[in-house]
Amino acid sequence: MTQLTIGAAPLTLAQLRAVLDGPVTVAVAPAAWADVDKGAATIAAIVAEGRTVYGVNTGFGLLANTSIAPEDLETLQRNLVLSHACGVGDRLPDAVTRLLMVLKIASLSRGASGIRRETLEALIALVNADVLPCIPSKGSVGASGDLAPLAHMSCVLIGVGEARVNGETLEAEAALARVGLKPLTLGPKEGLALLNGTQCSTALALAGLFAAEAVFAAGIAAGALSVDALKGSDAPFDPRIHTLRGQPGQIAVAARLRDLMAGSAIRDSHRDDCAKVQDPYSLRCQPQVMGAVLDVLNTAAATLEREANAVTDNPLVFIEDGDVISGGNFHAEPVAFAADQIAMALCEIGNISERRTAILVDPKMSELPAFLVRESGLNSGFMIAQVTAAALIAENRMVAHPCSVDTVPTSANQEDHVSMATHGARRLLDMAENAATVVGIELLAAAQGLEFHRPLTSSPDLEKVFAIVREAAAPYASDHYFAPDIARATDGVRAGRYRAFADGLLPSA
């Protein structure tokens, strides 16, 4: 089980990926606990002195000018959580909910939110017991925080709603009792601190990033395997070409492709007497395309790593001088842009992969048996597998429209510009699944192409790629029920079986 100490150093992408992979144990560093206590003391002093501060003893949003009596402050926070729990749709995956909660703990532990130690301890206890609130996936516009999703998370702390425990869905109070907790009574500002923030959109975007990494790595392996299966050239990967352009991702991808193809007997068999002048773009422009994808993923990853360690609620408590300042850190525009970048990257990984599959099945282009099967005509081979890939890339292109350029005013025009980050990030998991299937189909097709060159072997690395593909499916000898082969090939991509073939390239490695 992964152990995280929050507050000692910023969380890394590798640590955040581990949170998605399974249950974790979270602790907070002593220095961070000291800051939490100072923040809570600042809020307590404001209440004791009778000062009016937004979110502490006022209404919210357009109701910010409404003062709340001291005896109603607990009710104010409870009402806030209950009224904002307006999510709809399927619940978030358990892994994403776990990551969301860890991100919220990291934000609250900075001491700038003003919550009490006992409230943060309760949230930590839920994570450590892997008690995961049931959070509907729809209902956030990614500004003023992910209000609805975080309200559903917070409902469980006060004994309302449902939570998942060991795969079982329980009423909130029963789930709390499982880990020895009772429903909390929220103190001043605590409901607002829990609800404000970009943790839902950030968790979804990180999940999309890590899924995109797995697809990217498989796409690199599949692309190199296709070059060999098609008796293509590795000359376009010559480092001199890429040094002249200077794009870092392009240089790195070209180097990886050269390494993957090094020592291929298939390549050597046509190195000196090849009649081809140039390969199609989807083969020879892989460094340019996948390198640009890598640069985009690195940019998005840097944004999301910063956001994972950020304080994004409102108002913020500055423990050094006791100020409480209202701002807009909850606006998820950085996450929205990162999600749009990842969506475009996933589109391009799938687009170029499908084109290579199309070449592999076309005898005029590939000089291989039509649709990669002997006795074509009697057998259709990979004909419809390529159609499936085409359908999936078309679907990805359709949903890749940038969400960050959209906005709908909310909260009676008080919140008049929003980021749409949450659904921009939510689509990424579906897009990654589509792209994983497209690359899985290419891997099957490229491995099948290699079969026609035996007994010649590919490079040592590409023979390892070939072996993983053959674990998913036997060589295609004649038509058979093909869907399970594709599903198993996709499973290998999704599970990160090919990450090692993008060694040193992935942002979270």
Side-chain angles (χ1 to χ4, degrees):
M1 182 180 292
T2 300
Q3 295 185 334
L4 297 177
T5 299
I6 291 176
L11 292 168
T12 66
L13 291 172
Q15 289 175 315
L16 296 168
R17 184 158 59 86
V19 174
L20 281 173
D21 289 342
V24 296
T25 300
V26 171
V28 172
W33 277 125
D35 288 343
V36 169
D37 291 338
K38 290 175 185 175
T42 301
I43 296 299
I46 289 170
V47 174
E49 295 165 12
R51 285 190 280 153
T52 299
V53 174
Y54 171 72
V56 177
N57 44 23
T58 71
F60 308 103
L62 194 66
L63 305 176
N65 293 324
T66 303
S67 296
I68 307 298
E71 63 271 18
D72 291 329
L73 295 185
E74 289 180 359
T75 302
L76 174 70
Q77 297 301 315
R78 181 179 177 85
N79 285 351
L80 176 70
V81 172
L82 295 175
S83 67
H84 284 48
C86 293
V88 297
D90 295 338
R91 61 177 174 80
L92 293 177
D94 288 349
V96 172
T97 298
R98 182 187 304 114
L99 180 56
L100 175 156
M101 296 168 75
V102 168
L103 296 179
K104 177 55 78 173
I105 291 167
S107 179
L108 296 176
S109 70
R110 297 281 295 276
S113 301
I115 69 161
R116 298 167 297 165
R117 178 184 287 246
E118 64 194 78
T119 302
L120 184 53
E121 286 176 337
L123 189 57
I124 292 169
L126 292 186
V127 170
N128 288 347
D130 213 36
V131 175
L132 305 173
C134 294
I135 300 176
S137 59
K138 299 181 181 181
S140 175
V141 295
S144 213
D146 289 313
L147 294 172
L150 292 172
H152 284 275
M153 178 200 77
S154 305
C155 275
V156 172
L157 290 172
I158 64 173
V160 177
E162 296 179 325
R164 303 263 296 164
V165 185
N166 297 324
E168 180 184 1
T169 302
L170 301 175
E171 295 294 325
E173 287 204 42
L176 291 173
R178 283 275 183 99
V179 293
L181 294 177
K182 294 181 179 179
L184 279 175
T185 298
L186 297 174
K189 193 186 175 296
E190 289 192 327
L192 190 58
L194 289 165
L195 266 59
N196 262 192
T198 65
Q199 286 78 34
C200 182
S201 52
T202 303
L204 284 165
L206 284 166
L209 170 69
F210 302 141
E213 286 185 343
V215 177
F216 175 86
I220 293 290
L225 196 65
S226 289
V227 171
D228 237 14
L230 291 162
K231 287 193 170 181
S233 174
D234 57 355
F237 310 145
D238 187 301
R240 293 169 292 181
I241 296 172
H242 308 289
T243 299
L244 282 173
R245 195 175 202 184
Q247 295 289 355
Q250 179 177 328
I251 292 168
V253 168
R256 191 85 280 273
L257 290 169
R258 289 196 304 274
D259 290 346
L260 286 173
M261 294 190 67
S264 168
I266 296 173
R267 176 66 185 110
D268 289 341
S269 72
H270 63 97
R271 189 177 297 277
D272 299 323
D273 59 352
C274 185
K276 297 178 183 177
V277 177
Q278 288 185 329
D279 292 326
Y281 287 4
S282 61
L283 300 180
R284 64 181 159 109
C285 294
Q286 289 184 72
Q288 290 80 3
V289 175
M290 294 295 274
V293 166
L294 178 60
D295 287 338
V296 164
L297 290 179
N298 278 323
T299 298
T303 296
L304 295 176
E305 187 172 37
R306 287 191 295 270
E307 193 74 2
N309 290 286
V311 180
T312 55
D313 62 287
N314 181 63
L316 296 177
V317 179
F318 294 89
I319 57 178
E320 298 84 1
D321 49 27
D323 286 345
V324 180
I325 305 175
S326 186
N329 275 4
F330 48 67
H331 199 296
E333 195 78 356
V335 181
F337 277 121
D340 284 346
Q341 290 170 321
I342 297 167
M344 290 188 292
L346 284 166
C347 272
E348 282 301 272
I349 297 169
N351 284 341
I352 197 167
S353 173
E354 182 277 332
R355 287 293 80 205
R356 292 189 296 262
T357 298
I359 295 171
L360 283 160
V361 302
D362 183 348
K364 299 185 298 297
M365 297 286 288
S366 70
E367 299 179 1
L368 296 169
F371 302 108
L372 298 171
V373 66
R374 300 196 189 278
E375 295 187 84
S376 52
L378 177 62
N379 294 295
S380 294
F382 278 70
M383 179 188 294
I384 304 304
Q386 184 267 327
V387 173
T388 297
L392 293 174
I393 63 168
E395 182 177 317
N396 272 2
R397 288 196 293 261
M398 181 182 70
V399 298
H401 175 83
C403 297
S404 57
V405 302
D406 193 14
T407 182
V408 176
T410 61
S411 192
N413 282 307
Q414 175 74 4
E415 296 154 9
D416 60 346
H417 183 279
V418 298
S419 74
M420 299 300 180
T422 315
H423 66 263
R426 191 180 69 244
R427 69 186 154 158
L428 296 178
L429 290 176
D430 283 342
M431 292 184 70
E433 181 70 13
N434 287 344
T437 303
V438 172
V439 175
I441 289 170
E442 183 193 355
L443 285 162
L444 289 170
Q448 181 69 10
L450 234 61
E451 299 285 357
F452 297 112
H453 301 312
R454 299 305 194 196
L456 291 175
T457 59
S458 187
S459 68
D461 276 346
L462 291 182
E463 289 294 338
K464 292 176 184 176
V465 173
F466 178 86
I468 296 173
V469 178
R470 282 289 162 258
E471 290 177 26
Y476 199 110
S478 60
D479 284 349
H480 59 277
Y481 188 39
F482 203 177
D485 292 358
I486 295 172
R488 287 190 296 269
T490 303
D491 287 344
V493 175
R494 188 195 308 113
R497 294 288 305 278
Y498 301 93
R499 286 181 68 95
F501 301 104
D503 184 44
L505 298 183
L506 304 179
S508 75

